[in-house]
Amino acid sequence: MTADKTHSRKPGAGATRAGARSAKASAPSARAKAVASRAQKAVVDGVDKEVVEADAEASLAERAHRALMGMILSGELAPTEVITERQIALQLGISRTPLREAIRRLEGARLLERQRSGMLVVRALPIEEYISILDVRRVLESEAARLAAGQIAPEEIARLRNRAEAVLALPEDAPLPAAAQDEDLHLLIADAAGNPVLEEMILGLRTRTSMFRFGRLPSRRRDVMREHLAILDALAAGNAQAAREAMEQHIDQVRATIIARLSDSHRRR
């Protein structure tokens, strides 16, 4: 009998070769990898470009916001004055897109308002609203002064005290130094109170009433400095109750002065 020839194979050898062929076929080529890499880089670069452009736009909007607010608060743009986007954009050297974002924020802060005709104007603050804001400021800022008592560095107290005393030493008709601003003390107290929500509320309300800063009321500047010194003395001593009362008296005097000024203005008409 002739024995049949049999071919011996290692078990699984065919499957291994088939798997290798399959893996080779499924593996991406070098060219495919390069194409994919370039595509991914293009996406990343595109995203980065969009992020950079968005950041630049936000920066311009913030710059426009600060500039436009400064023009309003300084009186360069008077109440009821019409705001022309094109003119302001040219003046600030920016496009209208970031300017519109700044305008939107100022409308939200009620410093600008759009009339029924569509015209955008600087909002005139009604006296009733101003007095209402002062009433709220009295509550918030006196509480901030109470919390800030004993919390402000002595060198900061000394800096503001020296500034107030320098203003008191000036002749009545002397120009007020730009550095001698009422804001510094109030902002320092709001920060030292240690309550971010309270600070934000105070800053927002002070912005809305800042058109009546004491710099525009020369007859008040000496009184304001004396009131500031009383507040500073209480803060330095860590006397919370005295700080609260000194701040209340300060805002009460601001309120009384503004009401008297407006009443006198109405009588002259």
Side-chain angles (χ1 to χ4, degrees):
M1 289 179 64
T2 304
D4 292 334
K5 290 183 179 181
T6 58
H7 299 282
S8 61
R9 282 193 249 179
K10 292 181 180 179
T16 301
R17 286 195 295 272
R21 285 194 301 271
S22 175
K24 184 177 180 180
S26 62
S29 66
R31 182 179 178 184
K33 286 182 179 179
V35 170
S37 177
R38 286 196 298 272
Q40 183 176 9
K41 185 176 185 302
V43 171
V44 172
D45 288 347
V47 171
D48 287 345
K49 184 179 180 182
E50 289 178 3
V51 170
V52 169
E53 289 175 350
D55 287 346
E57 198 77 13
S59 178
L60 285 174
E62 182 59 34
R63 195 184 96 192
H65 178 261
R66 288 197 304 268
L68 197 50
M69 179 182 285
M71 293 164 73
I72 294 169
L73 299 184
S74 68
E76 183 178 347
L77 292 173
T80 72
E81 185 169 343
V82 176
I83 302 296
T84 306
E85 285 187 14
R86 183 180 179 185
Q87 181 180 343
I88 297 295
L90 288 172
Q91 186 174 342
L92 299 180
I94 60 173
S95 69
R96 292 198 195 181
T97 301
L99 177 61
R100 283 169 182 159
E101 172 60 21
I103 287 173
R104 185 190 65 78
R105 290 175 59 186
L106 291 171
E107 285 185 89
R110 305 191 72 189
L111 293 177
L112 296 177
E113 67 179 359
R114 202 167 294 276
Q115 297 183 332
R116 291 181 180 178
S117 63
M119 285 194 305
L120 185 70
V121 300
V122 178
R123 182 172 180 266
L125 186 66
I127 183 59
E128 296 82 6
E129 183 176 337
Y130 177 79
I131 297 302
S132 295
I133 293 173
L134 276 183
D135 289 343
V136 177
R137 273 186 51 193
R138 184 182 190 272
V139 174
L140 298 181
E141 293 198 50
S142 61
E143 174 62 11
R146 184 187 71 80
L147 294 172
Q151 303 300 316
I152 300 176
E155 54 269 25
E156 286 294 329
I157 296 285
R159 178 179 67 84
L160 292 176
R161 181 179 279 124
N162 291 339
R163 183 181 292 180
E165 290 171 349
V167 172
L168 287 173
L170 291 172
E172 287 284 352
D173 57 350
L176 189 67
Q181 291 298 330
D182 182 56
E183 286 293 288
D184 282 4
L185 175 61
H186 291 268
L187 301 185
L188 184 65
I189 290 172
D191 178 64
N195 186 323
V197 176
L198 179 62
E199 180 181 8
E200 183 180 0
M201 293 173 70
I202 288 172
L203 296 186
L205 292 174
R206 287 190 63 80
T207 296
R208 290 171 62 185
T209 58
S210 59
M211 65 183 68
F212 291 102
R213 286 177 184 158
F214 78 93
R216 299 188 189 177
L217 301 171
S219 62
R220 266 281 295 160
R221 74 182 189 184
R222 287 181 177 276
D223 290 335
V224 167
M225 291 299 104
R226 293 189 187 97
E227 291 159 15
H228 279 196
L229 287 172
I231 294 170
L232 288 167
D233 288 343
L235 293 171
N239 189 329
Q241 184 59 30
R244 174 196 282 275
E245 291 173 358
M247 181 61 78
E248 287 174 344
Q249 182 178 5
H250 173 50
I251 294 179
D252 285 345
Q253 290 303 315
V254 173
R255 187 180 191 276
T257 300
I258 296 299
I259 291 175
R261 185 187 185 204
L262 291 172
S263 297
D264 184 56
S265 176
H266 284 306
R267 280 196 300 270
R268 291 178 182 178
R269 290 179 183 176

